[in-house]
Amino acid sequence: MISDKNIIAHRNLAALVDYSNLINSSLDLSFILNNILLTCFSKFQITKGIIALVDNNNFLELKVIKGFSSTDKEKFPKVKLEELISNSKMQVFISQYKISVVEKIESNSGTKGVVLLGSKLSKNPFTNEDLEFLKTLLNLGATAVENSLTVERLKNVNRELDSKVNQLSSLFDLSKEFSGILEIEVIGKLLVYSIIGQLLVSKYAVVTCSEKSINILESKYDIDQIKESLKICEYDKINESLDKEQIVKNYPDLSKFEIECIVPMKIKSVTKGLILLGKRVTNKPFSKSDVEYISSVGSLAIISIENASMIKELLEKEKLEKDLEIARNIQQNLLPKKILQYKEVSISAYSLAARTVGGDYYDIVKLDDNRVLLAIADVSGKGVPAALIMANLQAFLKSICKQNLPLDESTNLINDLISENTSNGSFVTFFWGIFDKFNLEFTYVNAGHNPPLLLRNGEIIKLKKGGMIIGVMPTIIPYVSETIKMEKDDVVIFFTDGISEAMNIDFEEFTDEKLERIVLEERLKSSDEILEKIKNEVDEHTKGAEQSDDITCLIIKVN
Amino acid sequence: MADFNVNLRGVGSVSVIDVKGYLDAHTAPELENMFSKLIVDKQFKVVVNFDQLNYISSAGLGVFMAFVEQMRDNKGDIKFSNMNDSVYNIFDLLGFPVLYEFYKDEKEAVNKFSNLG
């Protein structure tokens, strides 16, 4: 007679084979755990059961729970595997829910978790056979659990790898893109998009810094406030990435913006910019690999930004050069092409524009058969603006000459006209005089120009009469003129500060004294010779140095 | 390399943006311009149809991050539809599904707006 026991054993065995086939056919952890628990439910006729697995820190983590209300679930205490029995909270939980059996799930590599089962519906206690059967059940289950855990781990590793690959491909994408962009604003935008898209950040700022100045490229914060806070905290000394904790501790001014990550953008280990990021929308912290990504994108961006600004500078310089060339042309065309000569007076003139173009101007205009007008001026500033004022001055001068007004009145007029036509503090030092060869009189007005030197009998008389520089304000105090009776062999030297202030390589000026000494020595020579001498002396003095200002000299000698 | 296209359609009160080709750092500014225009026109309900998009990079994803708050602050949203698996995987990898709504079908996404009135 086949015993009941045998029939039961046979049935149990068949059930075990089914169960083993089922759980080993799946790699889905929750499916497996669910089946283990349900098999226990049906085998032992129980209504409550829990499976908890050991997590990385050896704590038990609820995976499947059946027969408990959701508030009851909450009461499952957080315990470590080794404290399972000794923990008082767990003891309370076990007695409260009448947990009858606690059994570990063991595999070759150690304990994977535990199964907790409630009491049987029949109220009968678990028999030894029940416990043996449970052990077998769990042994079979352990392998399946282990396999699925391994797969899950692999999936995570894969995901991390995917994430890395994705970061790398966006870096690659950016490196291609950045190198072609010359607008700094566009680089900033792409940088920001690549970071916020990759890391899901909604508050951010990107700043670049250069010699104590901060430039906010992109900001979701108040620009003035963030600028102020950055100034306070010596932004340019940040040369390591900072996490939330470090920011709170060391940069309270920035932590008030809830900035959680700061990454410097460096070139040759000098901080050239900063990337400031608020918290991630997913609430995850910035990982080491995230910071590495930000830092890589930042490095790419800052190099492109530097390149772009260098090219911009270069273009500006080229434009300036062009500007200067135009100015030089204007200036050269304003100067007299041919110098008038008379029997009674010889005239020599010379003007050399500096590379950067100052604003020297001179003119010699025949007024009538007896009178010739001589003018010399130095316009403040350089380049095109100065050249335009000079052109204005020449136009006014030529038209006023035709009015035949006294020179002082003409000066009042010319000052009014120039004042109207200049802005932002431009001015002109100006000297003009009319030489009348019929009665040998020289009438002049000096409007703030270096006084021309009148040489007579080995003495120097400086021609200072006149008034203030022109172009600053309309005439309030009228200019005054002076008339000098000229004598034979009188020489008048008109010059600009380009001569007296000509620099040598040691930055020493030529000086008025030296000019005066030379002209006194040379006074008996012709105007051409005196001019030649001055030119040579200035050349000698400035040898090897760059000419910093226009040089102009005009000499008349009464024959 | 005409490798990216954006097109704007109105479906009722919802703006549908069709994106096509490769959305990367190079082409992201085009999408950005489109969104800026929508903001100016006060069109805050947006569905992006990814049906013909083959690739998206972080810079492309960044554009959605940059505009979504503004849309939501104005009672609108940016919703996604018709995404192929490889594009969805990138969104998924970076955690977008927690923050954005994804729909299989454009109609579904558009209707989601009208349901809210």
Side-chain angles (χ1 to χ4, degrees):
Chain A
M1 184 184 143
I2 304 166
S3 72
D4 283 354
K5 260 190 177 170
N6 273 348
I7 292 173
I8 290 169
H10 191 257
R11 214 185 274 157
N12 278 347
L13 198 62
L16 276 178
V17 171
D18 269 358
Y19 156 84
S20 170
N21 282 342
L22 186 70
I23 59 172
N24 281 307
S25 68
S26 169
L27 286 172
D28 181 350
L29 185 65
S30 58
F31 176 85
I32 294 165
L33 296 177
N34 213 27
N35 263 291
I36 295 175
L37 200 57
L38 284 177
T39 307
C40 293
F41 272 50
S42 65
K43 172 68 196 161
F44 308 122
Q45 286 97 43
I46 52 170
T47 57
K48 283 185 166 58
I50 292 171
I51 299 181
L53 296 184
V54 176
D55 71 9
N56 290 335
N57 301 315
N58 227 20
F59 277 100
L60 288 172
E61 189 187 347
L62 259 186
K63 287 291 182 187
V64 197
I65 182 161
K66 288 182 192 297
F68 289 81
S69 74
S70 51
T71 46
D72 291 342
K73 281 182 195 171
E74 305 284 327
K75 293 187 181 146
F76 187 77
K78 189 174 164 71
V79 290
K80 285 195 166 185
L81 177 68
E82 55 268 24
E83 306 167 337
L84 181 59
I85 305 302
S86 58
N87 184 284
S88 60
K89 278 186 192 153
M90 192 49 114
Q91 283 167 355
V92 171
F93 184 85
I94 286 173
S95 70
Q96 188 180 352
Y97 295 102
K98 300 192 175 61
I99 302 294
S100 311
V101 177
V102 178
E103 191 63 55
K104 290 179 179 172
I105 305 171
E106 312 255 15
S107 81
N108 297 338
S109 60
T111 306
K112 296 286 132 196
V114 289
V115 175
L116 291 83
L117 302 178
S119 53
K120 289 188 177 183
L121 204 56
S122 62
K123 307 275 191 256
N124 294 332
F126 279 79
T127 63
N128 280 341
E129 274 168 43
D130 286 341
L131 293 178
E132 281 303 312
F133 188 80
L134 178 61
K135 270 187 185 152
T136 316
L137 214 60
L138 294 184
N139 281 343
L140 286 171
T143 324
V145 169
E146 173 140 45
N147 287 344
S148 70
L149 282 175
T150 310
V151 168
E152 205 160 80
R153 237 186 345 262
L154 278 175
K155 270 189 193 157
N156 278 336
V157 170
N158 260 339
R159 216 177 147 78
E160 267 165 37
L161 276 177
D162 275 356
S163 174
K164 265 280 183 230
V165 166
N166 187 49
Q167 290 190 353
L168 280 177
S169 79
S170 40
L171 272 179
F172 179 64
D173 181 23
L174 283 174
S175 64
K176 264 191 318 192
E177 198 48 37
F178 276 160
S179 56
I181 306 178
L182 289 181
E183 296 102 297
I184 293 171
E185 295 73 25
V186 179
I187 298 172
K189 272 231 148 60
L190 274 185
L191 168 68
V192 160
Y193 284 162
S194 304
I195 292 172
I196 67 174
Q198 187 81 28
L199 303 171
L200 303 183
V201 176
S202 65
K203 285 251 189 288
Y204 51 79
V206 176
V207 304
T208 56
C209 17
S210 62
E211 286 143 36
K212 294 284 151 197
S213 76
I214 321 172
N215 177 30
I216 310 281
L217 220 50
E218 285 282 328
S219 180
K220 283 264 181 177
Y221 306 104
D222 182 282
I223 288 182
D224 294 327
Q225 283 179 20
I226 195 105
K227 227 177 187 172
E228 205 44 51
S229 302
L230 280 168
K231 267 185 203 151
I232 293 169
C233 60
E234 303 198 302
Y235 56 94
D236 52 336
K237 295 216 175 78
I238 300 176
N239 52 14
E240 294 288 335
S241 301
L242 302 173
D243 63 19
K244 191 180 172 184
E245 233 171 77
Q246 291 166 308
I247 296 168
V248 170
K249 201 173 139 208
N250 301 324
Y251 299 95
D253 284 297
L254 290 174
S255 74
K256 69 172 185 239
F257 294 99
E258 297 181 325
I259 289 170
E260 297 199 352
C261 179
I262 298 180
V263 179
M265 297 188 280
K266 296 189 283 188
I267 293 181
K268 290 181 187 150
S269 69
V270 176
T271 299
K272 297 276 189 179
L274 296 174
I275 299 169
L276 314 162
L277 301 174
K279 78 170 174 26
R280 300 176 70 175
V281 186
T282 53
N283 281 326
K284 284 187 200 154
F286 290 94
S287 71
K288 201 171 158 232
S289 125
D290 294 336
V291 173
E292 274 165 18
Y293 171 75
I294 300 165
S295 174
S296 310
V297 183
S299 303
L300 284 177
I302 197 70
I303 290 171
S304 301
I305 288 172
E306 283 274 303
N307 284 345
S309 53
M310 246 144 64
I311 288 173
K312 208 167 137 198
E313 244 169 58
L314 213 69
L315 288 177
E316 265 160 25
K317 212 174 148 200
E318 253 169 44
K319 194 187 152 280
L320 196 70
E321 292 278 337
K322 191 98 196 152
D323 208 49
L324 290 178
E325 203 183 303
I326 296 169
R328 243 192 310 263
N329 281 336
I330 297 174
Q331 196 181 6
Q332 284 306 316
N333 283 323
L334 292 176
L335 299 178
K337 307 261 172 328
K338 198 171 113 237
I339 293 166
L340 298 168
Q341 293 302 336
Y342 299 93
K343 185 160 77 336
E344 297 82 358
V345 62
S346 53
I347 305 175
S348 305
Y350 168 74
S351 185
L352 179 66
R355 203 184 66 80
T356 51
V357 185
D360 279 11
Y361 166 66
Y362 77 92
D363 218 338
I364 303 161
V365 185
K366 183 183 173 186
L367 297 180
D368 51 42
D369 284 345
N370 285 328
R371 297 183 308 150
V372 59
L373 177 103
L374 303 139
I376 187 164
D378 188 353
V379 180
S380 70
K382 289 177 189 304
V384 171
L388 289 177
I389 294 176
M390 198 191 291
N392 255 337
L393 177 66
Q394 189 204 37
F396 295 145
L397 185 138
K398 294 246 153 111
S399 56
I400 288 174
C401 283
K402 298 212 161 70
Q403 315 279 323
N404 241 329
L405 292 169
L407 201 60
D408 47 359
E409 272 177 47
S410 297
T411 315
N412 296 342
L413 210 55
I414 217 162
N415 177 52
D416 285 341
L417 288 168
I418 295 285
S419 300
E420 258 172 53
N421 287 281
T422 55
S423 54
N424 52 46
S426 301
F427 61 88
V428 185
T429 69
F430 182 59
F431 178 100
W432 60 352
I434 296 171
F435 183 77
D436 190 328
K437 59 185 183 174
F438 179 73
N439 51 22
L440 285 188
E441 271 177 4
F442 184 63
T443 304
Y444 75 90
V445 172
N446 186 345
H449 196 76
N450 300 49
L453 310 173
L454 167 60
L455 308 180
R456 177 176 291 171
N457 305 326
E459 299 279 328
I460 288 180
I461 301 162
K462 294 190 177 174
L463 308 182
K464 291 180 179 169
K465 274 266 155 34
M468 68 181 295
I469 47 176
I470 65 174
V472 178
M473 56 168 113
T475 309
I476 297 168
I477 306 162
Y479 290 88
V480 290
S481 63
E482 182 177 35
T483 302
I484 296 170
K485 187 82 186 163
M486 298 298 274
E487 295 169 8
K488 189 175 179 309
D489 294 330
D490 277 357
V491 178
V492 186
I493 319 275
F494 309 78
F495 63 97
T496 57
D497 58 8
I499 289 184
S500 51
E501 291 169 11
M503 298 273 194
N504 68 6
I505 41 174
D506 297 322
F507 299 102
E508 291 161 341
E509 291 184 359
F510 189 75
T511 70
D512 287 317
E513 291 71 32
K514 185 163 180 184
L515 178 64
E516 288 164 20
R517 204 180 64 232
I518 292 166
V519 293
L520 277 177
E521 282 165 9
E522 304 295 317
R523 67 180 192 281
L524 298 176
K525 297 192 175 144
S526 75
S527 60
D528 278 346
E529 285 167 322
I530 301 171
L531 185 63
E532 198 57 32
K533 179 72 183 169
I534 294 171
K535 251 162 71 179
N536 290 341
E537 289 284 340
V538 172
D539 279 352
E540 188 63 31
H541 179 77
T542 57
K543 200 176 254 174
E546 193 189 352
Q547 184 191 347
S548 57
D549 200 358
D550 296 0
I551 288 172
T552 302
C553 187
L554 178 64
I555 299 178
I556 60 171
K557 182 158 191 177
V558 182
N559 296 325
Chain B
M1 236 173 51
D3 47 9
F4 179 70
N5 247 312
V6 270
N7 180 44
L8 185 65
R9 288 183 282 131
V11 178
S13 64
V14 180
S15 307
V16 178
I17 299 179
D18 291 300
V19 286
K20 190 177 169 185
Y22 287 80
L23 179 51
D24 56 16
H26 185 67
T27 55
E30 278 182 61
L31 183 64
E32 186 195 342
N33 291 341
M34 183 68 84
F35 273 108
S36 305
K37 218 171 84 193
L38 288 174
I39 300 272
V40 172
D41 297 344
K42 300 203 185 323
Q43 298 294 313
F44 303 118
K45 295 174 179 176
V46 184
V47 171
V48 184
N49 186 326
F50 285 82
D51 188 38
Q52 300 198 63
L53 194 86
N54 302 322
Y55 172 79
I56 187 162
S57 81
S58 298
L61 295 167
V63 178
F64 300 119
M65 285 303 293
F67 287 96
V68 70
E69 276 191 344
Q70 253 174 303
M71 299 296 181
R72 288 181 184 165
D73 289 348
N74 289 288
K75 300 198 172 89
D77 193 13
I78 301 174
K79 300 184 197 297
F80 302 140
S81 82
N82 302 68
M83 209 176 268
N84 73 34
D85 284 349
S86 68
V87 171
Y88 179 77
N89 280 344
I90 298 172
F91 276 93
D92 184 37
L93 198 61
L94 300 177
F96 274 69
V98 188
L99 309 165
Y100 292 78
E101 296 170 18
F102 292 74
Y103 298 93
K104 282 247 168 334
D105 186 52
E106 177 191 313
K107 223 169 164 184
E108 220 181 312
V110 172
N111 286 340
K112 207 73 187 175
F113 278 119
S114 41
N115 287 346
L116 295 169

